Amino acid sequence: MDEGNKNECPLESEALVGDGLSTPAAIVRNSVHNGGRAKPSRRSDFDQLYLYSKPKKPGFFERVSRTSKGCDFRGGAVSLFPILDWLYNYKWKSDTIYDLISGTTVSIMHIPHGIAYAMLAGVPPVVGIYMAFFPVFIYTLMGTSRHLSIGTFSVVCMMTSKAVLMYSDTESLGIGSNSSAVVLDTGENHTSLTPTQVAAAVCFVVGFWQVVMGIFKMGVLSVLLSETLVSGFTTGAAVHVITSQISKFFGLKLPRRTGPLKILFVYYDLFAHILEANLAAVGISVVTIIILCIWNELLKPRVEKKLPVPIPIELFAIIIGTLVSYLADFEHVYKVKTIGHVSTGLPLPELPPLWLFPNLLVDGLVICLVAFSINMSMAKILARKAGNYSVSANQELLAGGCANLFGSMFGCVPTAASLSRSMIQLKVGGKTQLASFFSCLILLFVLLFVGPLFQPLPNCVLASIVVVALKGMMMQVKDLFHAWRHSHADALVWLGSFLGVVLLDIDYGLGLGVSFSLLTLVIRGQKPILRVLGNVPGTQIYLDVKCYHSAVEIPGIRIVQIAGGLNFANNDYFQHKILSLIEKKASYDKQNASSPVQTIISPNTQSKPLCLILDMVSVSFVDPSAVKALLSLHKDVKNQGRILCLSNCSWNVFESLNKCGFFEDFSDSYLFSSVHDAVSFISRQSVAL
């Protein structure tokens, strides 16, 4: 080889042959040699060598054809009714006893929960038992969670009470006239609806929204309700629930408040009428709360370690409260308000008032999102604890929707999963949703024969049970401090959701929480993370110079790694920050031009024009506005007599740049498959100059 050609690539004039493919010499000339092998450095050479082609998306008719050919009616039936799968493989000999015990235990818990939370929703107590019977049958057939206990849930019942108070005549329930009720005109005459009819209409609308979302596979919307948001929202809702029980706790009849700041007005009314409190009701409430707290905090942890089945202390409180009230005649002697008439038997199916649905669409959508978020959160937790089985978000929407549609025909309030009942169903050994089926059979007996026995039960006992049951939700205040230590943005989401619910209303609070969550995402997206990289001497590794002190910046080259998306919201910040980093690098190199720096490149680069390399490996996407910003940056750098190179563009980023005409003004000679290829290219350019 001639002396004058010793720096030339030995393969420059030859074709690289391998596996039957020949590589043009142009590719080799722009390649980095590694052990006698030529590796393409430019992105275009890389794509040409490895036969890159853009993946083609199938057209509409092609997708329809594929779907129709792959239709499996048996698989579709199993997907819609998961019971067809797990019941076929059910272990009758070993699992039946566990599901029976689990179902019996949960059915006992359904009784106090149903009676208490039905009153919370503003409907007759027996409706709470209906909610544990009719919708649960449908969920047993269609649900994908094996341990979820569907039925009454305090927050959902509280949200339903808003519509019940607004559109119904509460005199029909015997809880006093509702001066804020809306009198509806159907065109012929004014119609006064019962609370059960309004609650059933809400249930139908919630089911409608859930089915629509399930059909269109919108289960992904659950990501909008983060754990932080749900924690703040449910804590605020717990304050609403406790506030709604204050009047029963003191035996008072307070004016009904609606709209923003209603909680403040309720406590104002309470202090204004506190001297009218029924001392007997207060005494019963205090005794009930003390007994429940002592049991839950002191005795329950010790007793449950020795017993395989939990003791239903709430049911005992209801039974004892009913018995003492009956014997002492609390209602007539001490003027203590009781739950009154409890009907027996099963109601006949009846379609809710359809003409009320347009008035309930917004409330129904809010309840739908809250119930779905709670159901999915609980289902995922239970699935992990029970052996990591899969739960389908879209199927859960369909199951919950059909359950609510069916339940609305029998006057039910919208249903959701209960944390306490679901954990008990898992803890006592439940294996499948057959436990819910056994629970329904036991509750059927209660509906047919036992219901009227609870008529003397004081309302203050139910209020006490609700207040104590919400202790866990109120303790979620700790989540605020936990979030603050890790992320101030998450803490603001929690606080915004909580204050929105407490000061405004439940639906406003949810909207405010979602808005805060989206706002934090936008704010975080406005500032992509920029890291200055340096080379670890003797390697091809490039690391953040602020974090890794062994990484050394290369004289004449500034390498900036971008993390995040580039879009219209952060264009100005991105360009300004990059240009600032270039100027800082130029100033630094000028001050240290005489300092010996160990690099992987010839020291000749110290006297050459500064080059900028953007490492795009962590860029998730670029929009058209960001492409224009990159071209503007390219022109600014070029006008300064400097060079801009891009490296590590992902497939979707490369295609976005290509679609927006980026390479019409930016030569692909400066697009590289790695940072080291770009550095080596600049090194060769410097040597040539």
Side-chain angles (χ1 to χ4, degrees):
M1 184 179 295
D2 294 338
E3 182 70 15
N5 297 328
K6 64 181 180 179
N7 291 327
E8 294 181 4
C9 172
L11 299 176
E12 182 175 314
S13 60
E14 301 175 3
L16 179 63
V17 180
D19 298 330
L21 301 175
S22 62
T23 305
I27 297 180
V28 180
R29 281 194 296 271
N30 291 284
S31 301
V32 179
H33 294 280
N34 182 16
R37 298 181 60 189
K39 184 184 77 170
S41 59
R42 294 189 308 180
R43 175 62 183 255
S44 58
D45 299 339
F46 185 91
D47 292 345
Q48 186 178 353
L49 175 61
Y50 295 110
L51 305 180
Y52 169 81
S53 64
K54 180 182 176 181
K56 295 182 179 180
K57 295 182 179 179
F60 173 75
F61 292 104
E62 186 178 352
R63 293 198 301 269
V64 172
S65 176
R66 290 181 182 177
T67 303
S68 60
K69 289 180 181 178
C71 281
D72 179 3
F73 292 103
R74 182 183 180 279
V78 171
S79 176
L80 187 60
F81 298 99
I83 190 174
L84 298 176
D85 180 40
W86 62 259
L87 191 61
Y88 179 78
N89 301 301
Y90 188 75
K91 301 176 182 178
W92 292 96
K93 292 184 178 180
S94 59
D95 292 349
T96 304
I97 185 62
Y98 292 104
D99 280 337
L100 179 60
I101 295 174
S102 177
T104 303
T105 306
V106 171
S107 68
I108 294 173
M109 296 182 67
H110 268 300
I111 297 172
H113 286 189
I115 295 175
Y117 295 150
M119 297 293 287
L120 182 62
V123 296
V126 71
V127 173
I129 309 299
Y130 294 160
M131 294 169 63
F133 181 75
F134 294 107
V136 174
F137 264 123
I138 303 300
Y139 185 82
T140 300
L141 301 176
M142 302 182 65
T144 58
S145 174
R146 302 174 190 172
H147 303 91
L148 213 58
S149 177
I150 297 294
T152 53
F153 183 70
S154 57
V155 174
V156 172
C157 289
M158 181 67 200
M159 296 175 72
T160 304
S161 69
K162 175 186 175 182
V164 170
L165 293 175
M166 182 173 295
Y167 297 111
S168 69
D169 177 16
T170 51
E171 282 289 355
S172 61
L173 187 60
I175 59 177
S177 178
N178 180 15
S179 59
S180 62
V182 177
V183 179
L184 299 167
D185 190 353
T186 62
E188 298 177 357
N189 56 355
H190 293 291
T191 303
S192 181
L193 298 174
T194 65
T196 302
Q197 287 177 311
V198 177
V202 175
C203 188
F204 191 96
V205 174
V206 171
F208 164 77
W209 280 120
Q210 289 177 322
V211 170
V212 169
M213 292 174 64
I215 291 175
F216 289 98
K217 300 186 182 301
M218 299 173 67
V220 68
L221 289 179
S222 62
V223 300
L224 294 177
L225 304 179
S226 64
E227 292 183 6
T228 304
L229 188 155
V230 172
S231 174
F233 172 81
T234 53
T235 306
V239 175
H240 270 273
V241 173
I242 292 173
T243 302
S244 70
Q245 302 302 299
I246 288 293
S247 60
K248 298 174 185 176
F249 184 90
F250 288 96
L252 293 171
K253 185 178 180 180
L254 301 178
R256 296 192 176 276
R257 300 285 189 172
T258 59
L261 302 180
K262 69 178 182 181
I263 285 186
L264 300 182
F265 288 118
V266 168
Y267 284 104
Y268 171 81
D269 294 334
L270 172 66
F271 289 113
H273 297 83
I274 193 67
L275 296 179
E276 303 171 14
N278 186 314
L279 296 181
V282 173
I284 295 171
S285 301
V286 170
V287 171
T288 304
I289 290 177
I290 291 176
I291 292 175
L292 291 176
C293 288
I294 291 176
W295 171 262
N296 290 334
E297 302 301 324
L298 299 178
L299 302 178
K300 183 177 178 180
R302 301 177 182 178
V303 173
E304 285 191 344
K305 293 180 180 180
K306 301 179 180 180
L307 295 178
V309 178
I311 296 177
I313 187 64
E314 294 88 356
L315 181 62
F316 289 160
I318 286 179
I319 294 174
I320 295 173
T322 302
L323 183 61
V324 173
S325 175
Y326 174 76
L327 295 176
D329 197 9
F330 281 168
E331 183 176 13
H332 298 98
V333 176
Y334 299 101
K335 308 300 179 183
V336 175
K337 187 69 175 177
T338 62
I339 66 173
H341 175 70
V342 178
S343 60
T344 57
L346 300 178
L348 295 175
E350 179 184 355
L351 192 67
L354 298 177
W355 41 268
L356 186 59
F357 292 172
N359 302 51
L360 302 173
L361 286 176
V362 176
D363 290 335
L365 178 60
V366 174
I367 295 175
C368 164
L369 293 174
V370 172
F372 173 59
S373 175
I374 293 168
N375 290 355
M376 279 306 300
S377 300
M378 278 304 306
K380 291 178 180 178
I381 293 173
L382 295 169
R384 287 195 298 268
K385 288 181 175 291
N388 203 27
Y389 59 85
S390 61
V391 178
S392 170
N394 294 316
Q395 181 60 25
E396 285 297 307
L397 277 170
L398 289 174
C402 292
N404 279 322
L405 289 176
F406 184 70
S408 69
M409 305 297 177
F410 300 92
C412 291
V413 176
T415 57
S418 164
L419 172 63
S420 57
R421 292 196 307 268
S422 299
M423 293 303 296
I424 290 298
Q425 186 163 323
L426 173 66
K427 186 177 179 180
V428 299
K431 302 295 183 182
T432 67
Q433 279 295 332
L434 200 62
S436 297
F437 177 77
F438 290 135
S439 174
C440 290
L441 294 180
I442 296 172
L443 290 173
L444 177 61
F445 175 79
V446 174
L447 288 170
L448 293 177
F449 305 107
V450 180
L453 297 179
F454 295 110
Q455 290 179 179
L457 176 64
N459 283 339
C460 56
V461 172
L462 294 176
S464 302
I465 292 174
V466 171
V467 170
V468 174
L470 291 173
K471 180 243 182 184
M473 282 191 183
M474 294 302 299
M475 293 303 293
Q476 291 178 152
V477 172
K478 296 179 181 178
D479 294 345
L480 172 61
F481 303 101
H482 180 77
W484 184 262
R485 288 195 299 269
H486 290 82
S487 171
H488 291 177
D490 285 345
L492 290 177
V493 171
W494 194 100
L495 196 60
S497 303
F498 174 79
L499 293 178
V501 171
V502 172
L503 298 180
L504 300 178
D505 211 337
I506 290 180
D507 47 358
Y508 293 120
L510 180 63
L512 192 62
V514 172
S515 300
F516 269 49
S517 294
L518 295 178
L519 184 61
T520 58
L521 291 178
V522 172
I523 293 175
R524 288 168 176 170
Q526 280 187 329
K527 292 186 177 181
I529 300 174
L530 304 179
R531 300 184 180 93
V532 176
L533 304 185
N535 174 254
V536 178
T539 72
Q540 298 182 10
I541 299 174
Y542 296 83
L543 302 173
D544 187 347
V545 294
K546 287 187 177 180
C547 299
Y548 297 90
H549 300 294
S550 62
V552 180
E553 279 203 78
I554 302 168
I557 302 176
R558 170 133 280 186
I559 307 170
V560 179
Q561 185 181 76
I562 308 170
L566 300 180
N567 54 63
F568 67 92
N570 56 35
N571 284 341
D572 292 339
Y573 170 83
F574 163 72
Q575 292 184 74
H576 174 75
K577 191 69 174 179
I578 291 293
L579 292 174
S580 175
L581 290 174
I582 294 176
E583 294 303 324
K584 289 181 180 179
K585 175 63 175 175
S587 176
Y588 177 82
D589 284 352
K590 185 177 181 180
Q591 295 175 4
N592 297 274
S594 59
S595 301
V597 181
Q598 183 183 6
T599 67
I600 65 168
I601 300 180
S602 171
N604 292 334
T605 56
Q606 297 180 25
S607 61
K608 303 304 177 183
L610 188 143
C611 299
L612 171 66
I613 300 175
L614 296 182
D615 182 10
M616 310 281 282
V617 67
S618 299
V619 176
S620 55
F621 71 94
V622 292
D623 67 2
S625 179
V627 174
K628 293 180 181 179
L630 284 172
L631 285 174
S632 176
L633 177 65
H634 168 57
K635 292 177 181 178
D636 290 342
V637 172
K638 187 176 181 180
N639 291 336
Q640 296 173 4
R642 296 164 177 168
I643 300 173
L644 172 65
C645 298
L646 303 183
S647 68
N648 283 323
C649 289
S650 62
W651 173 83
N652 61 303
V653 171
F654 176 76
E655 289 298 334
S656 297
L657 294 174
N658 197 26
K659 286 180 180 178
C660 296
F662 179 77
F663 298 109
E664 294 176 4
D665 297 311
F666 183 89
S667 174
D668 63 357
S669 299
Y670 299 102
L671 183 65
F672 299 91
S673 57
S674 70
V675 172
H676 188 72
D677 288 343
V679 172
S680 300
F681 170 79
I682 295 171
S683 174
R684 293 198 305 275
Q685 293 292 102
S686 300
V687 171
L689 293 174

